[in-house]
Amino acid sequence: MNWDDETTTPTAADARLVAPAADGEDSAVEAALRPKSLDEFVGQERVRQQLDLVLRAARQRGATADHVLLSGAPGLGKTTLSMIIASEMNAPIRITSGPAIQHAGDLAAILSSLQEGEVLFLDEIHRMSRPAEEMLYMAMEDFRVDVIVGKGPGATAIPLELPPFTLVGATTRAGLLPPPLRDRFGFTAHMEFYEPAELERVVHRSAQLLDVVIDADGAAEIAGRSRGTPRIANRLLRRVRDYAQVEADGRIGRKVAAAALQVYEVDTRGLDRLDRAVLQALLKLFGGGPVGLSTLAVAVGEERETVEEVAEPFLVREGLLARTPRGRVATPAAWAHLGLTPPQQAQGASGQQGLFGT
Ligand SMILES: Nc1ncnc2c1ncn2[C@@H]1O[C@H](COP(=O)(O)OP(=O)(O)OP(=O)(O)O)[C@@H](O)[C@H]1O
């Protein structure tokens, strides 16, 4: 297929193979693919080393581990690490999320039923309600909460002692956490996107667990298209496995992986149909920009928000598109990636470029 001649319009509603968030199938398979110990956890060397120290020290002291805050994009392994923390501390784990805790009472119910040493994993901690957040401050610091009974002037605070526990908070938006909450974590780790070599190790490990034969080139081909994200690497591996089974002899090498991912429209840099449609419109219709977001969105037949929130972050991260005060601009890497030559005037003196739309 020649993607440059693509004429059909993608819709964001299409389930994206390269979406970083988990889909239904991921949830079913991920449990089997999760590393169970720090040793098995691939990459994130600095985080691993630091966490190893925190956990070993706590174990030596016979104490509960400090509260841990994990920040980073979806699919980088925050849930996996929280489970590893529990397993390394030989402790049970309770999993919940910020949006599930809308009232302080919801949190009080969870906290009061924790066992000593238990790990409480609170995903999307930045989305907790304010009253619950304030209750959490005291719980984290003093292992105590005040449960308010009644309303108005008659309301009474009943203090409730909690067993020591380890809170593992996860967030994609560390900047949104109020400082008093952030300060109560003893250890904070920011998880980075993975290097291709690390993703190759993830792919090899998952292939082994899924009983799939894959060679080094096949793993490299999948890793290179996985947008720095283990969840995406695992998802692409599963789709390539299907292709290898149906169209080849079941084994995955470079050719099979490339052919499979071409069918699924994930290109060599991990761009999918929507990403490419945005770049193509920017280059072919608007000479590389600057062009306003709304105009660009109309050109690809998508909502403004879809272009801005679904396609652009990765294109910006990859250095293919820049957001400027005058509009969206393609970088030289974008022209090179799509195999197109920038028009003469785009290379000329500043001020020569046209401004399209708003
Ligand atoms: N370092 C790693 N080594 C091997 N596999 C990993 C690693 N990190 C993540 N994975 C795999 O990627 C998948 C997604 O990981 P996980 O659910 O922990 O991500 P997450 O950061 O919690 O995502 P979300 O923010 O969407 O909840 C899991 O199947 C896990 O097996």
Short mmCIF file of all heavy atoms in Angstrom, two decimals, residues 226-288:
data_model
loop_
_atom_site.label_atom_id
_atom_site.label_comp_id
_atom_site.label_asym_id
_atom_site.label_seq_id
_atom_site.Cartn_x
_atom_site.Cartn_y
_atom_site.Cartn_z
N SER A 226 6.94 1.10 18.36
CA SER A 226 6.12 1.01 19.56
C SER A 226 6.04 2.29 20.38
O SER A 226 5.58 2.30 21.52
CB SER A 226 6.60 -0.13 20.46
OG SER A 226 6.48 -1.35 19.77
N ARG A 227 6.52 3.38 19.84
CA ARG A 227 6.37 4.70 20.46
C ARG A 227 6.89 4.75 21.90
O ARG A 227 6.30 5.42 22.76
CB ARG A 227 4.89 5.14 20.39
CG ARG A 227 4.40 5.21 18.97
CD ARG A 227 2.89 5.17 18.84
NE ARG A 227 2.21 6.41 19.12
CZ ARG A 227 1.51 7.13 18.25
NH1 ARG A 227 1.42 6.72 17.00
NH2 ARG A 227 0.92 8.22 18.61
N GLY A 228 7.96 4.02 22.15
CA GLY A 228 8.60 4.09 23.47
C GLY A 228 7.77 3.49 24.59
O GLY A 228 8.06 3.72 25.76
N THR A 229 6.74 2.69 24.26
CA THR A 229 5.75 2.27 25.26
C THR A 229 5.57 0.74 25.27
O THR A 229 5.11 0.16 24.29
CB THR A 229 4.39 2.94 24.93
OG1 THR A 229 4.61 4.34 24.80
CG2 THR A 229 3.35 2.68 26.00
N PRO A 230 5.90 0.09 26.39
CA PRO A 230 5.77 -1.37 26.44
C PRO A 230 4.37 -1.88 26.11
O PRO A 230 4.22 -2.90 25.46
CB PRO A 230 6.14 -1.72 27.89
CG PRO A 230 6.98 -0.61 28.35
CD PRO A 230 6.50 0.62 27.63
N ARG A 231 3.33 -1.16 26.57
CA ARG A 231 1.97 -1.64 26.27
C ARG A 231 1.77 -1.73 24.76
O ARG A 231 1.18 -2.68 24.26
CB ARG A 231 0.92 -0.72 26.89
CG ARG A 231 -0.49 -1.07 26.40
CD ARG A 231 -1.57 -0.29 27.12
NE ARG A 231 -1.71 -0.69 28.50
CZ ARG A 231 -1.82 0.16 29.52
NH1 ARG A 231 -1.82 1.46 29.30
NH2 ARG A 231 -1.95 -0.29 30.74
N ILE A 232 2.25 -0.72 24.03
CA ILE A 232 2.08 -0.73 22.57
C ILE A 232 2.93 -1.84 21.96
O ILE A 232 2.49 -2.55 21.05
CB ILE A 232 2.42 0.66 21.97
CG1 ILE A 232 1.47 1.71 22.55
CG2 ILE A 232 2.34 0.64 20.45
CD1 ILE A 232 1.74 3.14 22.11
N ALA A 233 4.14 -2.04 22.49
CA ALA A 233 5.00 -3.11 21.97
C ALA A 233 4.29 -4.46 22.11
O ALA A 233 4.27 -5.26 21.17
CB ALA A 233 6.32 -3.13 22.74
N ASN A 234 3.69 -4.69 23.27
CA ASN A 234 3.00 -5.97 23.49
C ASN A 234 1.79 -6.11 22.57
O ASN A 234 1.49 -7.19 22.07
CB ASN A 234 2.53 -6.08 24.95
CG ASN A 234 3.68 -6.41 25.88
OD1 ASN A 234 4.72 -6.91 25.45
ND2 ASN A 234 3.52 -6.12 27.16
N ARG A 235 1.11 -5.00 22.33
CA ARG A 235 -0.08 -5.05 21.46
C ARG A 235 0.34 -5.33 20.01
O ARG A 235 -0.25 -6.16 19.33
CB ARG A 235 -0.83 -3.72 21.56
CG ARG A 235 -2.25 -3.81 21.09
CD ARG A 235 -2.90 -2.45 21.11
NE ARG A 235 -3.14 -1.93 22.44
CZ ARG A 235 -3.04 -0.62 22.77
NH1 ARG A 235 -2.69 0.27 21.84
NH2 ARG A 235 -3.28 -0.21 23.99
N LEU A 236 1.38 -4.64 19.55
CA LEU A 236 1.84 -4.87 18.18
C LEU A 236 2.33 -6.31 18.03
O LEU A 236 2.09 -6.95 17.01
CB LEU A 236 2.97 -3.90 17.81
CG LEU A 236 2.62 -2.40 17.77
CD1 LEU A 236 3.78 -1.59 17.21
CD2 LEU A 236 1.36 -2.13 16.95
N LEU A 237 3.00 -6.82 19.06
CA LEU A 237 3.48 -8.21 19.00
C LEU A 237 2.30 -9.16 18.78
O LEU A 237 2.37 -10.09 17.97
CB LEU A 237 4.22 -8.56 20.30
CG LEU A 237 4.58 -10.04 20.46
CD1 LEU A 237 5.60 -10.47 19.40
CD2 LEU A 237 5.16 -10.31 21.87
N ARG A 238 1.21 -8.91 19.48
CA ARG A 238 0.05 -9.81 19.35
C ARG A 238 -0.54 -9.76 17.94
O ARG A 238 -0.94 -10.77 17.38
CB ARG A 238 -1.02 -9.47 20.39
CG ARG A 238 -0.56 -9.67 21.82
CD ARG A 238 -1.72 -9.84 22.78
NE ARG A 238 -2.64 -8.73 22.76
CZ ARG A 238 -2.49 -7.61 23.49
NH1 ARG A 238 -1.42 -7.46 24.26
NH2 ARG A 238 -3.38 -6.64 23.43
N ARG A 239 -0.57 -8.53 17.35
CA ARG A 239 -1.10 -8.43 15.98
C ARG A 239 -0.14 -9.07 14.97
O ARG A 239 -0.57 -9.71 14.03
CB ARG A 239 -1.34 -6.96 15.60
CG ARG A 239 -2.43 -6.26 16.38
CD ARG A 239 -3.84 -6.80 16.08
NE ARG A 239 -4.13 -8.12 16.65
CZ ARG A 239 -4.51 -8.32 17.92
NH1 ARG A 239 -4.67 -7.31 18.73
NH2 ARG A 239 -4.74 -9.54 18.35
N VAL A 240 1.16 -8.91 15.20
CA VAL A 240 2.14 -9.52 14.29
C VAL A 240 2.07 -11.05 14.42
O VAL A 240 2.18 -11.77 13.44
CB VAL A 240 3.56 -8.99 14.58
CG1 VAL A 240 4.59 -9.74 13.75
CG2 VAL A 240 3.65 -7.50 14.29
N ARG A 241 1.85 -11.50 15.63
CA ARG A 241 1.70 -12.95 15.83
C ARG A 241 0.53 -13.49 15.00
O ARG A 241 0.64 -14.52 14.34
CB ARG A 241 1.45 -13.23 17.33
CG ARG A 241 1.08 -14.69 17.59
CD ARG A 241 0.75 -14.96 19.04
NE ARG A 241 -0.44 -14.24 19.51
CZ ARG A 241 -1.04 -14.46 20.67
NH1 ARG A 241 -0.52 -15.35 21.50
NH2 ARG A 241 -2.10 -13.79 21.04
N ASP A 242 -0.61 -12.78 14.99
CA ASP A 242 -1.76 -13.21 14.18
C ASP A 242 -1.36 -13.34 12.72
O ASP A 242 -1.66 -14.32 12.05
CB ASP A 242 -2.90 -12.16 14.26
CG ASP A 242 -3.51 -12.06 15.65
OD1 ASP A 242 -3.22 -12.95 16.47
OD2 ASP A 242 -4.24 -11.08 15.89
N TYR A 243 -0.66 -12.30 12.23
CA TYR A 243 -0.28 -12.27 10.82
C TYR A 243 0.66 -13.43 10.52
O TYR A 243 0.51 -14.14 9.52
CB TYR A 243 0.39 -10.92 10.51
CG TYR A 243 0.82 -10.78 9.08
CD1 TYR A 243 0.00 -10.16 8.13
CD2 TYR A 243 2.07 -11.24 8.66
CE1 TYR A 243 0.40 -10.02 6.81
CE2 TYR A 243 2.48 -11.10 7.34
CZ TYR A 243 1.65 -10.49 6.43
OH TYR A 243 2.06 -10.36 5.12
N ALA A 244 1.64 -13.62 11.40
CA ALA A 244 2.63 -14.68 11.18
C ALA A 244 1.95 -16.04 11.13
O ALA A 244 2.32 -16.92 10.34
CB ALA A 244 3.67 -14.65 12.29
N GLN A 245 0.93 -16.20 11.96
CA GLN A 245 0.22 -17.48 12.02
C GLN A 245 -0.61 -17.71 10.75
O GLN A 245 -0.60 -18.79 10.18
CB GLN A 245 -0.70 -17.44 13.24
CG GLN A 245 -1.51 -18.67 13.49
CD GLN A 245 -2.56 -18.39 14.56
OE1 GLN A 245 -2.28 -17.71 15.56
NE2 GLN A 245 -3.77 -18.87 14.35
N VAL A 246 -1.28 -16.65 10.27
CA VAL A 246 -2.19 -16.81 9.14
C VAL A 246 -1.47 -16.72 7.79
O VAL A 246 -1.75 -17.48 6.87
CB VAL A 246 -3.31 -15.74 9.21
CG1 VAL A 246 -4.21 -15.77 7.98
CG2 VAL A 246 -4.13 -15.93 10.48
N GLU A 247 -0.50 -15.81 7.70
CA GLU A 247 0.13 -15.54 6.40
C GLU A 247 1.51 -16.15 6.25
O GLU A 247 2.09 -16.10 5.18
CB GLU A 247 0.24 -14.02 6.18
CG GLU A 247 -1.09 -13.27 6.17
CD GLU A 247 -1.88 -13.53 4.90
OE1 GLU A 247 -1.32 -14.05 3.93
OE2 GLU A 247 -3.10 -13.23 4.90
N ALA A 248 2.10 -16.63 7.35
CA ALA A 248 3.45 -17.19 7.25
C ALA A 248 3.50 -18.48 8.06
O ALA A 248 2.47 -19.11 8.31
CB ALA A 248 4.46 -16.17 7.75
N ASP A 249 4.70 -18.86 8.50
CA ASP A 249 4.81 -20.14 9.21
C ASP A 249 4.74 -19.98 10.72
O ASP A 249 5.13 -20.87 11.46
CB ASP A 249 6.11 -20.84 8.81
CG ASP A 249 7.33 -20.04 9.23
OD1 ASP A 249 7.15 -18.95 9.81
OD2 ASP A 249 8.47 -20.50 9.00
N GLY A 250 4.29 -18.80 11.18
CA GLY A 250 4.14 -18.59 12.63
C GLY A 250 5.33 -17.92 13.26
O GLY A 250 5.24 -17.36 14.35
N ARG A 251 6.50 -17.96 12.55
CA ARG A 251 7.69 -17.34 13.14
C ARG A 251 7.78 -15.88 12.71
O ARG A 251 7.40 -15.52 11.60
CB ARG A 251 8.94 -18.09 12.70
CG ARG A 251 9.09 -19.39 13.48
CD ARG A 251 10.29 -20.14 13.06
NE ARG A 251 10.11 -20.69 11.71
CZ ARG A 251 10.83 -21.69 11.23
NH1 ARG A 251 11.79 -22.21 11.94
NH2 ARG A 251 10.59 -22.14 10.02
N ILE A 252 8.32 -15.06 13.62
CA ILE A 252 8.38 -13.63 13.32
C ILE A 252 9.82 -13.20 13.07
O ILE A 252 10.68 -13.29 13.94
CB ILE A 252 7.79 -12.79 14.49
CG1 ILE A 252 6.34 -13.20 14.75
CG2 ILE A 252 7.89 -11.30 14.17
CD1 ILE A 252 5.71 -12.52 15.97
N GLY A 253 10.06 -12.75 11.84
CA GLY A 253 11.32 -12.12 11.47
C GLY A 253 11.02 -10.71 11.00
O GLY A 253 9.87 -10.26 11.06
N ARG A 254 12.04 -10.02 10.48
CA ARG A 254 11.83 -8.62 10.08
C ARG A 254 10.75 -8.48 9.01
O ARG A 254 9.87 -7.63 9.10
CB ARG A 254 13.14 -7.99 9.58
CG ARG A 254 12.97 -6.50 9.28
CD ARG A 254 14.25 -5.84 8.83
NE ARG A 254 15.28 -5.80 9.84
CZ ARG A 254 15.33 -4.93 10.85
NH1 ARG A 254 14.37 -4.03 10.99
NH2 ARG A 254 16.30 -4.96 11.72
N LYS A 255 10.81 -9.37 7.99
CA LYS A 255 9.88 -9.22 6.86
C LYS A 255 8.43 -9.42 7.31
O LYS A 255 7.55 -8.64 6.94
CB LYS A 255 10.23 -10.25 5.78
CG LYS A 255 10.95 -9.60 4.59
CD LYS A 255 11.39 -10.61 3.57
CE LYS A 255 10.27 -11.03 2.65
NZ LYS A 255 10.75 -11.97 1.61
N VAL A 256 8.24 -10.45 8.09
CA VAL A 256 6.87 -10.73 8.56
C VAL A 256 6.36 -9.58 9.44
O VAL A 256 5.23 -9.10 9.28
CB VAL A 256 6.84 -12.07 9.34
CG1 VAL A 256 5.55 -12.22 10.12
CG2 VAL A 256 7.01 -13.23 8.38
N ALA A 257 7.23 -9.08 10.35
CA ALA A 257 6.80 -8.00 11.24
C ALA A 257 6.46 -6.74 10.43
O ALA A 257 5.43 -6.10 10.66
CB ALA A 257 7.89 -7.70 12.26
N ALA A 258 7.32 -6.42 9.45
CA ALA A 258 7.08 -5.21 8.65
C ALA A 258 5.80 -5.36 7.83
O ALA A 258 4.99 -4.42 7.75
CB ALA A 258 8.29 -4.95 7.75
N ALA A 259 5.61 -6.53 7.24
CA ALA A 259 4.41 -6.74 6.41
C ALA A 259 3.15 -6.66 7.28
O ALA A 259 2.15 -6.05 6.90
CB ALA A 259 4.50 -8.10 5.71
N ALA A 260 3.22 -7.25 8.46
CA ALA A 260 2.05 -7.23 9.35
C ALA A 260 1.72 -5.81 9.76
O ALA A 260 0.55 -5.39 9.71
CB ALA A 260 2.34 -8.08 10.59
N LEU A 261 2.74 -5.06 10.12
CA LEU A 261 2.46 -3.71 10.62
C LEU A 261 2.07 -2.77 9.49
O LEU A 261 1.41 -1.76 9.72
CB LEU A 261 3.64 -3.21 11.44
CG LEU A 261 3.77 -4.03 12.74
CD1 LEU A 261 5.03 -3.69 13.51
CD2 LEU A 261 2.54 -3.82 13.64
N GLN A 262 2.43 -3.11 8.27
CA GLN A 262 1.93 -2.35 7.13
C GLN A 262 0.43 -2.58 6.98
O GLN A 262 -0.33 -1.65 6.73
CB GLN A 262 2.66 -2.78 5.85
CG GLN A 262 2.07 -2.13 4.61
CD GLN A 262 3.11 -1.47 3.74
OE1 GLN A 262 4.24 -1.26 4.16
NE2 GLN A 262 2.76 -1.16 2.52
N VAL A 263 0.02 -3.83 7.17
CA VAL A 263 -1.43 -4.13 7.12
C VAL A 263 -2.17 -3.31 8.17
O VAL A 263 -3.25 -2.78 7.94
CB VAL A 263 -1.68 -5.64 7.34
CG1 VAL A 263 -3.17 -5.91 7.54
CG2 VAL A 263 -1.13 -6.46 6.19
N TYR A 264 -1.57 -3.20 9.35
CA TYR A 264 -2.23 -2.46 10.44
C TYR A 264 -1.93 -0.97 10.39
O TYR A 264 -2.31 -0.23 11.30
CB TYR A 264 -1.82 -3.04 11.80
CG TYR A 264 -2.44 -4.40 12.04
CD1 TYR A 264 -1.67 -5.55 11.98
CD2 TYR A 264 -3.80 -4.52 12.28
CE1 TYR A 264 -2.24 -6.79 12.17
CE2 TYR A 264 -4.38 -5.76 12.48
CZ TYR A 264 -3.60 -6.90 12.42
OH TYR A 264 -4.17 -8.12 12.62
N GLU A 265 -1.23 -0.55 9.35
CA GLU A 265 -0.98 0.87 9.11
C GLU A 265 -0.20 1.56 10.22
O GLU A 265 -0.50 2.69 10.60
CB GLU A 265 -2.30 1.61 8.83
CG GLU A 265 -3.03 1.03 7.65
CD GLU A 265 -4.29 1.78 7.32
OE1 GLU A 265 -5.18 1.84 8.18
OE2 GLU A 265 -4.37 2.33 6.22
N VAL A 266 0.75 0.84 10.76
CA VAL A 266 1.67 1.45 11.72
C VAL A 266 3.02 1.53 11.01
O VAL A 266 3.59 0.51 10.65
CB VAL A 266 1.80 0.59 13.00
CG1 VAL A 266 2.79 1.22 13.97
CG2 VAL A 266 0.43 0.44 13.67
N ASP A 267 3.50 2.76 10.79
CA ASP A 267 4.70 2.87 9.95
C ASP A 267 5.99 2.71 10.76
O ASP A 267 5.96 2.42 11.95
CB ASP A 267 4.65 4.16 9.12
CG ASP A 267 5.00 5.42 9.90
OD1 ASP A 267 5.49 5.30 11.04
OD2 ASP A 267 4.79 6.53 9.37
N THR A 268 7.12 2.90 10.09
CA THR A 268 8.41 2.56 10.71
C THR A 268 8.73 3.38 11.94
O THR A 268 9.55 3.00 12.75
CB THR A 268 9.55 2.76 9.70
OG1 THR A 268 9.40 4.07 9.16
CG2 THR A 268 9.51 1.73 8.59
N ARG A 269 8.11 4.55 12.08
CA ARG A 269 8.34 5.35 13.28
C ARG A 269 7.21 5.23 14.28
O ARG A 269 7.17 5.94 15.27
CB ARG A 269 8.47 6.83 12.90
CG ARG A 269 9.89 7.20 12.53
CD ARG A 269 9.95 8.65 12.17
NE ARG A 269 10.37 9.45 13.30
CZ ARG A 269 11.12 10.54 13.15
NH1 ARG A 269 11.53 10.93 11.96
NH2 ARG A 269 11.47 11.25 14.20
N GLY A 270 6.23 4.38 13.97
CA GLY A 270 5.12 4.18 14.90
C GLY A 270 3.96 5.12 14.63
O GLY A 270 3.01 5.18 15.42
N LEU A 271 4.00 5.86 13.52
CA LEU A 271 2.85 6.72 13.19
C LEU A 271 1.74 5.85 12.63
O LEU A 271 2.01 4.90 11.87
CB LEU A 271 3.23 7.74 12.12
CG LEU A 271 3.85 9.05 12.57
CD1 LEU A 271 5.22 8.81 13.19
CD2 LEU A 271 3.98 10.02 11.39
N ASP A 272 0.50 6.15 12.99
CA ASP A 272 -0.61 5.40 12.41
C ASP A 272 -1.32 6.29 11.39
O ASP A 272 -0.84 7.37 11.04
CB ASP A 272 -1.53 4.85 13.50
CG ASP A 272 -2.41 5.92 14.11
OD1 ASP A 272 -2.15 7.12 13.88
OD2 ASP A 272 -3.37 5.56 14.83
N ARG A 273 -2.45 5.81 10.95
CA ARG A 273 -3.21 6.46 9.89
C ARG A 273 -3.54 7.92 10.23
O ARG A 273 -3.38 8.82 9.41
CB ARG A 273 -4.49 5.65 9.75
CG ARG A 273 -5.31 5.79 8.57
CD ARG A 273 -6.39 4.71 8.72
NE ARG A 273 -7.52 4.97 7.86
CZ ARG A 273 -7.52 4.70 6.56
NH1 ARG A 273 -6.45 4.18 6.00
NH2 ARG A 273 -8.58 4.96 5.84
N LEU A 274 -4.01 8.14 11.46
CA LEU A 274 -4.40 9.49 11.85
C LEU A 274 -3.17 10.42 11.89
O LEU A 274 -3.22 11.54 11.37
CB LEU A 274 -5.08 9.46 13.23
CG LEU A 274 -5.42 10.82 13.83
CD1 LEU A 274 -6.51 11.51 13.02
CD2 LEU A 274 -5.88 10.68 15.29
N ASP A 275 -2.09 9.95 12.48
CA ASP A 275 -0.87 10.77 12.55
C ASP A 275 -0.42 11.16 11.14
O ASP A 275 -0.05 12.31 10.88
CB ASP A 275 0.28 9.99 13.19
CG ASP A 275 -0.05 9.48 14.58
OD1 ASP A 275 -0.69 10.22 15.32
OD2 ASP A 275 0.34 8.34 14.90
N ARG A 276 -0.45 10.17 10.26
CA ARG A 276 0.02 10.43 8.89
C ARG A 276 -0.93 11.36 8.15
O ARG A 276 -0.49 12.20 7.37
CB ARG A 276 0.19 9.11 8.13
CG ARG A 276 1.28 8.22 8.71
CD ARG A 276 1.37 6.91 7.94
NE ARG A 276 1.77 7.14 6.56
CZ ARG A 276 3.02 7.19 6.15
NH1 ARG A 276 4.01 7.01 7.02
NH2 ARG A 276 3.30 7.41 4.88
N ALA A 277 -2.23 11.22 8.40
CA ALA A 277 -3.19 12.11 7.74
C ALA A 277 -2.93 13.55 8.15
O ALA A 277 -2.98 14.47 7.32
CB ALA A 277 -4.62 11.69 8.10
N VAL A 278 -2.65 13.76 9.43
CA VAL A 278 -2.38 15.12 9.92
C VAL A 278 -1.11 15.67 9.26
O VAL A 278 -1.09 16.79 8.74
CB VAL A 278 -2.24 15.13 11.47
CG1 VAL A 278 -1.72 16.46 11.97
CG2 VAL A 278 -3.58 14.80 12.13
N LEU A 279 -0.08 14.86 9.24
CA LEU A 279 1.18 15.32 8.64
C LEU A 279 1.01 15.58 7.15
O LEU A 279 1.49 16.58 6.62
CB LEU A 279 2.28 14.27 8.82
CG LEU A 279 3.14 14.33 10.06
CD1 LEU A 279 4.41 13.50 9.87
CD2 LEU A 279 3.52 15.76 10.44
N GLN A 280 0.31 14.67 6.48
CA GLN A 280 0.13 14.84 5.03
C GLN A 280 -0.65 16.11 4.71
O GLN A 280 -0.30 16.84 3.78
CB GLN A 280 -0.59 13.63 4.44
CG GLN A 280 0.37 12.51 4.16
CD GLN A 280 -0.32 11.26 3.65
OE1 GLN A 280 -1.45 11.33 3.19
NE2 GLN A 280 0.35 10.14 3.76
N ALA A 281 -1.70 16.38 5.49
CA ALA A 281 -2.47 17.61 5.25
C ALA A 281 -1.57 18.82 5.47
O ALA A 281 -1.56 19.76 4.66
CB ALA A 281 -3.68 17.66 6.19
N LEU A 282 -0.81 18.77 6.54
CA LEU A 282 0.07 19.90 6.86
C LEU A 282 1.09 20.14 5.74
O LEU A 282 1.34 21.28 5.34
CB LEU A 282 0.78 19.60 8.20
CG LEU A 282 1.73 20.63 8.77
CD1 LEU A 282 1.04 21.97 8.95
CD2 LEU A 282 2.26 20.15 10.13
N LEU A 283 1.64 19.08 5.21
CA LEU A 283 2.68 19.23 4.18
C LEU A 283 2.08 19.50 2.81
O LEU A 283 2.50 20.41 2.11
CB LEU A 283 3.54 17.96 4.11
CG LEU A 283 4.27 17.54 5.39
CD1 LEU A 283 5.20 16.36 5.10
CD2 LEU A 283 5.07 18.68 5.97
N LYS A 284 1.10 18.68 2.45
CA LYS A 284 0.62 18.75 1.05
C LYS A 284 -0.36 19.89 0.82
O LYS A 284 -0.36 20.51 -0.22
CB LYS A 284 -0.06 17.44 0.67
CG LYS A 284 0.92 16.29 0.49
CD LYS A 284 0.16 15.06 0.05
CE LYS A 284 1.08 13.93 -0.35
NZ LYS A 284 0.31 12.72 -0.67
N LEU A 285 -1.23 20.15 1.80
CA LEU A 285 -2.24 21.20 1.58
C LEU A 285 -1.75 22.57 2.02
O LEU A 285 -2.16 23.58 1.47
CB LEU A 285 -3.53 20.86 2.34
CG LEU A 285 -4.20 19.54 2.00
CD1 LEU A 285 -5.46 19.34 2.85
CD2 LEU A 285 -4.55 19.49 0.52
N PHE A 286 -0.89 22.59 3.03
CA PHE A 286 -0.52 23.89 3.59
C PHE A 286 0.99 24.15 3.51
O PHE A 286 1.51 25.00 4.25
CB PHE A 286 -1.02 24.00 5.04
CG PHE A 286 -2.50 23.73 5.15
CD1 PHE A 286 -2.97 22.57 5.75
CD2 PHE A 286 -3.42 24.63 4.62
CE1 PHE A 286 -4.33 22.32 5.83
CE2 PHE A 286 -4.78 24.38 4.70
CZ PHE A 286 -5.25 23.22 5.30
N GLY A 287 1.67 23.41 2.68
CA GLY A 287 3.09 23.66 2.43
C GLY A 287 3.95 23.59 3.68
O GLY A 287 5.01 24.19 3.76
N GLY A 288 3.47 22.86 4.69
CA GLY A 288 4.26 22.72 5.93
C GLY A 288 3.86 23.72 6.99
O GLY A 288 4.43 23.73 8.08
#
